[in-house]
Amino acid sequence: NLWQIHGHFCELENDGEGSKLSEEDDKNKLAYCVTDVPAWYLCIILGIQHLLTAFGGIIAIPLILSQGLCLQHDGLTQGHLISTIFFVSGVCTLLQVTFGIRLPIVQGGTFAFLAPSMAMLSMPKWTCPAWTQNASLVNTTSPEYIDVWQSRMRELQGSIMVGSLFQVLVGFSGLIGFFMRFIGPLTIAPTISLIGLSLYDSAGMSAGNHWGISTMTTALIILFSQYLRHIPVPFPTYNKTKKLHTSRIYIFQLLPVLLGITLSWLICYIFTISNVLPSEPEQYGYLARTDLKGDVISQAPWFRFPYPGQWGLPTVSLAGVLGILAGVLSSMIESVGDYHACARLSGAPPPPKHAINRGIGIEGIGCLLAGAWGTGNGTTSYSENVGALGITKVGSRMVIVAGGVLMIIMGLFCKIGAIFTTIPTPVIGGMFLVMFGVISAAGVSNLQYADMNSSRNVFIFGFSMFSGLVIPNWIFKNPDAIATGVVELDQLLQVLLTTSMFIGGFFGFFLDNTIPGTLRERGIMDWNKIPLDDSSNTLESSEVYNLPLGISSCLSSFSWVRYVPFLPPNAPSSQDEAKVDSLATKHTSNKPFQ
């Protein structure tokens, strides 16, 4: 199995230096690299952890959209939207890991689409009728009410589907790959860091619903992921040779987020049934209860298959499409940053241009599918799960495949998804405090490749970061400041100028490519590990980023492949593979089992 033979980049990249690694370096090694295949039960458990990590962001989107769709008092339809977005997220995750960027990166709903979507739904044409705001007047089964929310959803669907075609074009045409020759650490660092920093309000609002519960969740995740990660726990195991015996498993390193969330969730449940938490909605700490959405579980059907066009035939408007395009632009910049962060945290080489082209193109197809299925949103790479890679030290893409399958199952079996809606928001907020901090730090870590003794680089990074915080904050406080007279242009500028990672990435990109500096000073030479060549020609890169099922090898014999921007230019020779085979046999895997 090629994955088992070549799946040890952690060891291969340190060939010749492994004996010199200190104990500190050895402790920071990945438990599983990108091409490693953990045991099936570990894939499921770790996949659940990634599912829970993405859960807060995925479930928040339909709940926020429900306000603009006039669905505040229709919990059952909200449940259907949640199931649909989980199903589509699972499908898009499998597409991305298998045929896209091929890194362990989760796909899910994007907050970049929320601002233009809510802006469109706030237009006079789509303002919710007054009677939909009164729960006593809403009959969720009446044709009139169904048409009210479905007409708005169909308008969103059409705008998202047309806007996603732009992302498909940019990805598969190679335009993103072309820009990558101009994108270095000083562009990626502020983009990734601002992804985490711009979410501080979301994390604070969730955690602030009960600071005691959120602090406990944060403390547990820190305890498990940092202080106890090198402590093995004996577990009974069985195999044919050793029969029943105990194996030492580094459970705290593998499952810190899942353990932290589950333990906090259990404590909240105990506090709820013992009435320690307040039962009045206006009292502080009420949102930490686990019984707030109990009716959703009883109302949700056991099985429901989402399908394209389930809300009717999508409609299109120019205002909606232009607004969504702004979200698409922000999402693409965020995703390119996530690809590089994910590669670093999963033990993979820097992603080559053809893989980035394919990743962006597949994300465009994902947005197209999300629009067709009617999630009211698109898809993008999830920064929260990139942060989870850095904490768990598990970078295997098979874990993400398992997570994608689990998301599809959750989308089909509505009862399962309904159970997870009982996770209290303070618990999710406590997880966000850790995750978003790791994302911000992962962005800053890219600066190790640039010469930060250079005043040029210090200025570019500092100005990009500060602008990415100041400009969106001012626009949020002065929403009427943008008034060009063209509504569509106002929406476009509003979304772009309130997206921190777009502002920081734009200034970093512009200044880094216009202020004179050498490739070594800018960090591009060290960042790509090669001076000018495309890193797609290295053997390690081909094992990670080439297409699966031998597709790349079959296509490598055709000369026209080199002209297709999203296909690898060639495949490594059999001599090169034999060389790595011999290297692989000299190393033992650094797995969390002993």
Tab-separated table of all heavy atoms in Angstrom, residues 195 462 520:
chain	number	residue	atom	x	y	z
A	195	ILE	N	-7.892	35.675	10.437
A	195	ILE	CA	-9.021	34.747	10.490
A	195	ILE	C	-9.370	34.471	11.951
A	195	ILE	O	-10.529	34.505	12.360
A	195	ILE	CB	-8.697	33.433	9.759
A	195	ILE	CG1	-8.581	33.663	8.249
A	195	ILE	CG2	-9.761	32.373	10.048
A	195	ILE	CD1	-8.018	32.468	7.496
A	462	GLY	N	3.133	44.553	10.135
A	462	GLY	CA	2.453	45.377	11.135
A	462	GLY	C	1.315	46.189	10.539
A	462	GLY	O	0.206	46.246	11.090
A	520	ARG	N	14.864	35.973	-0.878
A	520	ARG	CA	15.258	35.448	0.426
A	520	ARG	C	14.757	36.343	1.548
A	520	ARG	O	14.279	35.854	2.583
A	520	ARG	CB	16.787	35.321	0.496
A	520	ARG	CG	17.283	34.608	1.763
A	520	ARG	CD	18.774	34.361	1.695
A	520	ARG	NE	19.132	33.487	0.590
A	520	ARG	CZ	19.037	32.158	0.627
A	520	ARG	NH1	18.571	31.566	1.712
A	520	ARG	NH2	19.388	31.433	-0.407
